[in-house]
Amino acid sequence: MSYNSTSTLITRLIVKKQLLCAVQCANQFANCNTAVFDNSITPQCSLYSGKVTPANLTVSMNTIVYDFQQTTPILHVWNTTGTTVAGASNGSAGTADNLLLNPYGITLGSFNSLYIADLNNNRIQKWLSNASNATTVAGLSNGTYGRSSVALDSPVSVVLDSNDNMYFTDRNNHRVVYWANGASSGSTIAGIAGVSGSTNNTFNRPCGIARDSSTGTLYIADTFNHRIMQYLLNASSGTVVAGGNGAGSGITQLYYPYGFAFDASSNSLLIANAQTNNIIRWVLGASSWTLVIGSPTGLSGSTSTLLNQPIGITLDPLGNIYVADSGNHRIQFFVAGQSNGTTIAGVTGSPGISQNQLNSPYWVIVDNQLNLYVSDHNNNRVQFFSYYQI
């Protein structure tokens, strides 16, 4: 394969995904202005210092050009009609292995297997790609709640390590559980099972969780204590890294933080402050936050710049932000650095059961092709929205 370009070639890399090619240009090479991904034979990423256009570039149907000099940004588009990939498309709830009851946090494991915190069934479900039912991988399959090494009480958020071992918040048991891949029981690794508190080794109904894969450090949303806790690998107690100054809208406070994302590139947390209807950034080590999206005073709304009880949040490799705007029944997309969002799933202010509607979406994630997975909480299902770029 050859490229006819008047620009200076910086380097060529072998990458598997088109998005990773764009990330290399955007984040790794300061003098890079154009990334060209070609998967016609061996996936190859060519990075250029100047502008590459069809006039000086041999392209094919397998070639994608990311132009970081362009005045018109890349247009991201998702199919607005979703597909139910877990649970019942009609919203039916239950404890059967093909049903869910108020799903909350979701994450992707090996081979795009979907892990779901099935909140009110008190279990974690693993849904293989294109499967019609799930396997219970933590908790009791019949939905019974409990407080033991095998029973859970309202799990909210789950993350995985590279071996698909699970770390999840067991909300009403006020703890974080580690459950090894394939194990029949788990162990409490943070908090004290059944004990609510505000000390450095206790929680009050923890919700969101994130893991730094490079260090094994866990970050836990101690939601009803209005703070985010950091637990170093194998630590028995944590450190407050955000909030901890009571509930409120002040820049040193949080107000029911449910979901958040760890942004390794800036060593910060992007936190969905549900009660103050905004997304804030808290740099680790800082004593206050800066506003990213929404109102600084807590004003709710349904415009493109306002939110209504945001719950889940995620980032893609380019730093774009996705918010589960639960009270507006929609998923909002914000280009990195922008505070004016676009609705990419759901209908603003219109809860419903059709395939283009959501009903209190609580969680959102993206795969490595930017396809969306949405935990459609009150519809007892997980929806998939495919991505394409024009």
Side-chain angles (χ1 to χ4, degrees), residues 76-364:
H76 298 275
V77 180
W78 285 263
N79 192 332
T80 58
T81 301
T83 302
T84 302
V85 293
S89 60
N90 65 3
S92 296
T95 59
D97 60 8
N98 65 333
L99 297 175
L100 301 168
L101 181 54
N102 301 124
Y104 213 123
I106 53 179
T107 194
L108 290 172
S110 302
F111 308 107
N112 268 10
S113 54
L114 184 64
Y115 289 72
I116 305 167
D118 192 9
L119 179 76
N120 287 325
N121 275 330
N122 307 296
R123 64 190 184 184
I124 307 292
Q125 298 291 88
K126 179 181 179 180
W127 219 289
L128 298 179
S129 181
N130 299 317
S132 58
N133 53 17
T135 302
T136 300
V137 290
L140 300 175
S141 60
N142 64 6
T144 303
Y145 75 90
R147 184 189 307 146
S148 67
S149 62
V150 298
L152 311 175
D153 191 350
S154 303
V156 166
S157 177
V158 56
V159 294
L160 307 173
D161 63 20
S162 59
N163 295 313
D164 284 356
N165 300 311
M166 295 178 288
Y167 306 76
F168 55 84
T169 51
D170 188 16
R171 187 186 67 185
N172 290 356
N173 282 326
H174 312 289
R175 65 179 177 176
V176 173
V177 174
Y178 170 77
W179 200 297
N181 186 5
S184 58
S185 63
S187 57
T188 299
I189 58 170
I192 302 172
V195 176
S196 172
S198 58
T199 61
N200 281 351
N201 68 336
T202 57
F203 299 112
N204 186 359
R205 283 169 282 182
C207 289
I209 186 171
R211 181 176 180 271
D212 182 349
S213 59
S214 65
T215 63
T217 297
L218 294 175
Y219 297 92
I220 301 146
D222 190 10
T223 303
F224 285 73
N225 280 326
H226 313 287
R227 64 185 186 179
I228 308 292
M229 301 295 293
Q230 178 195 65
Y231 272 72
L232 302 178
L233 183 64
N234 298 323
S236 59
S237 64
T239 303
V240 178
V241 292
N245 297 305
S249 59
I251 62 171
T252 66
Q253 297 175 298
L254 299 176
Y255 209 158
Y256 291 113
Y258 286 91
F260 68 96
F262 171 62
D263 183 6
S265 66
S266 60
N267 197 37
S268 67
L269 304 175
L270 280 167
I271 303 169
N273 234 357
Q275 199 67 26
T276 50
N277 305 296
N278 55 28
I279 306 298
I280 59 97
R281 183 184 298 276
W282 201 304
V283 176
L284 295 175
S287 58
S288 61
W289 52 257
T290 56
L291 182 69
V292 178
I293 299 163
S295 166
T297 61
L299 177 69
S300 66
S302 58
T303 66
S304 61
T305 60
L306 293 176
L307 302 170
N308 184 4
Q309 292 197 319
I311 300 294
I313 178 173
T314 197
L315 297 168
D316 67 28
L318 293 177
N320 302 315
I321 299 173
Y322 305 73
V323 179
D325 189 15
S326 70
N328 283 322
H329 311 287
R330 65 186 183 181
I331 304 299
Q332 292 295 91
F333 171 73
F334 297 85
V335 173
Q338 302 294 315
S339 58
N340 191 14
T342 302
T343 300
I344 58 173
V347 180
T348 300
S350 178
I353 195 64
S354 71
Q355 291 296 314
N356 72 330
Q357 290 178 298
L358 302 169
N359 190 350
S360 297
Y362 270 20
W363 222 254
V364 58

Side-chain angles (χ1 to χ4, degrees), residues 4-26:
N4 303 318
S5 172
T6 59
S7 301
T8 300
L9 176 68
I10 301 170
T11 188
R12 282 194 176 129
L13 308 167
I14 302 300
V15 299
K16 293 182 178 180
K17 303 293 183 181
Q18 63 194 51
L19 188 60
L20 297 178
C21 181
V23 170
Q24 291 293 320
C25 187

Side-chain angles (χ1 to χ4, degrees), residues 356-377:
N356 72 330
Q357 290 178 298
L358 302 169
N359 190 350
S360 297
Y362 270 20
W363 222 254
V364 58
I365 58 174
V366 294
D367 64 18
N368 56 19
Q369 295 297 315
L370 297 187
N371 300 304
L372 288 177
Y373 295 78
V374 178
S375 177
D376 194 8
H377 184 75

